Amino acid sequence: MHETQSNCCYCGVGCGVIIESDGTQVTGVRGDPAHPANFGKLCSKGSNLHLTAQPVLQQQVRALYPEMRTARDQDRERVDWETCLESMADKFATCIQAHGADSVGFYISGQLLTEDYYVFNKLAKGLIGTNNIDSNSRLCMSSTVAGYKQSLGADAPPCSYEDIELADLIFIAGSNTAYAHPILYRRIEQARENNPHLKVVVVDPRRTDTAREADLHLAILPGTDVALFHGMLHLCLWEDLIDTAFIAAHTEGFAELKQTVRDFTPAFTAQICGIAEKDLIQAARWFGLSKAALSLYCQGLNQSSAGTAKNSALINLHLATGQIGKPGAGPFSLTGQPNAMGGREVGGMANLLSAHRDLSNPEHRAEVAALWNIPSVPDQPGKTAVELFEAVRTGEIKIIWIVCTNPAQSMPDQNLIRAALEKAELVIVQEAYRNTATVAYADILLPASTWSEKSGTVTNSERRISRVRAAIAAPGEAHHDWQIATKFAQILAKKLNKTQPDFSYTNPETIWDEHRDSTAGRDLDITGLSYSLLEEKGPQQWPYPADAKAGQQRLYENHQFATSNGKARFINCAYVATTEKITPRHPFALNTGRLRDQWHGMSRTGLVAQLYAHAPEPCIEMTAQDMQRRFIQDGDFVEVSNQRGTQILIAKASDQLKAGQSFIAMHWGEEFVSGTLHSDDGISKTLFGVNSLCNPAFDPISKQPELKHSAVKITKLEFA
Ligand code: SF4
């Protein structure tokens, strides 16, 4: 038996795993006791990873060979790699020469490894000359990025997992940690056992399993987080719980914010948020009086049309109380995907450049152009996720290359996405799995390797970089993502008549070395972090400069922030309600989120029978009282609809919600829902998963869509 140290490929906790294999097949998986994220533990998803790699399943669902079609009404046919990449490069060159570089676009994924991300970013921005490359991390962490940069000057989570054990208040906002980051939640449970004085507060409209176990649950109305944080700051000011010395020495902008939060009296805030005044007061006192307050937050703050403001308002609370840059304290975002952080580090998004540089900064563009040995990086802002597909729909972007993600399920407003995929002149899908809704739109399908087959690095939520290692070969003719991008770049370079950056990568380490060189002098300096050092010392946190002996566990301990003057900034953000309002026509608020045992669109976890035990089928949850009023019983089919789409789902009474609220898990796509209904009357054509109902409105700064709140109508379906 062979044993290979690697990482779990699901969430941003980034647990280490040991892959057991016979050299050709994965036979088992267990937690890596040496990995500091999980110390040998795995959740239900991670501990079943080996079952997703069974040969019988691989044959059924894997993309094994390149496939192409020459017309939309034809089926794709198997082709060899050379023919496929040559044809793609011809189409790219023709399109770019006729319509300009911005007529093509890339939509990539936080599940790619850092090296994959780096090459795709260089292909788009360095070779082709377009910034039209965005990632599904736009749906996940872009509000966090904007929040950190606005307030602290850099996209750098300042805390470590170890702070969970050092905090005396854990303030969880917009995160069902027990389901979405289970191994971290176990650390919280353990910390509570070890420290009876530790308090846990959960802010969530739903009474999730995380909220149920908390010392205090603030079940705020959807989208009212900024009001809550302003109200807590108002109370901290009123009760003299702020750190005036810290504010004076290390921050700026407090006077303006003070004026804003003055209006957020307890009565006013409690009314906006729909919570009891006494609970608000309790939360503010615990926050202000705690020795070390650690906030853990995720999509409840991020997936919002006010996502950046929500992040900033929470960071304001930390700055005002001095709860940052010390053990057990700080605003700590939990990343959703396994390598959303790595993607940000290499600048693999429409507004970013390598090593946390900004596309809008001329000096940063010049630095990257010099690193890549090209005359310039284009200054035209790239299209972010929703904008990208809108541009495809209007014909502005004619070729879209989708890598390791499933927008035909995961993006909001599926009518827009599917219209875009139908309108595109060429849709390229690079995927390990054929069982995603997006593959159906592929004119060209490029088979990619996946977990247990590929090598590189990932960065988890606490800035810890781990090596991902291949245990077995990829099946069929599947190639690694970086290899596909590299080979394509080499072919396209010959067809485009301009100065070309270097694409002579021969393995992931050559890409890594170029990436780490690009970080010299930046906030995330990892110039000391070679593959050999990672082999020797194991996973490490950044920054890790060339002369470092270890990575940095906690940032800002010297209270020097990454802003130009070293001071953190209070952001005077306004409270703005959700963009979509509840109306008599659409009287229910719809929230979406994760199940404990499924991941994203279920292309991988959906293959494992054991992972259906917790939630066997899709449903819509609502209160028993709301169901009663509509003569709906548990198990009845209901139609859930709004102006964007319709879902047919089983209704289920829930005690986690308030009147007028509903919840649908994000994982189930069209195939399963239509399979449930066994409908042959055409209804299934309108069922694209819950995101068909979701609002594409996005945050003005982060451009992250409001996946967490839409208004819907729910009607009982009567079958004759
Ligand atoms: Fe994988 Fe996340 Fe579970 Fe860890 S907590 S095993 S990274 S899914």
Side-chain angles (χ1 to χ4, degrees), residues 8 10-11 13-15 42-43 45-46 182-183:
C8 176
Y10 293 125
C11 83
V13 177
C15 297
L42 292 178
C43 74
K45 294 185 284 284
I183 293 300

Side-chain angles (χ1 to χ4, degrees), residues 309-320:
K310 289 178 181 181
N311 274 265
S312 299
L314 180 56
I315 297 172
N316 285 342
L317 254 184
H318 279 270
L319 295 175

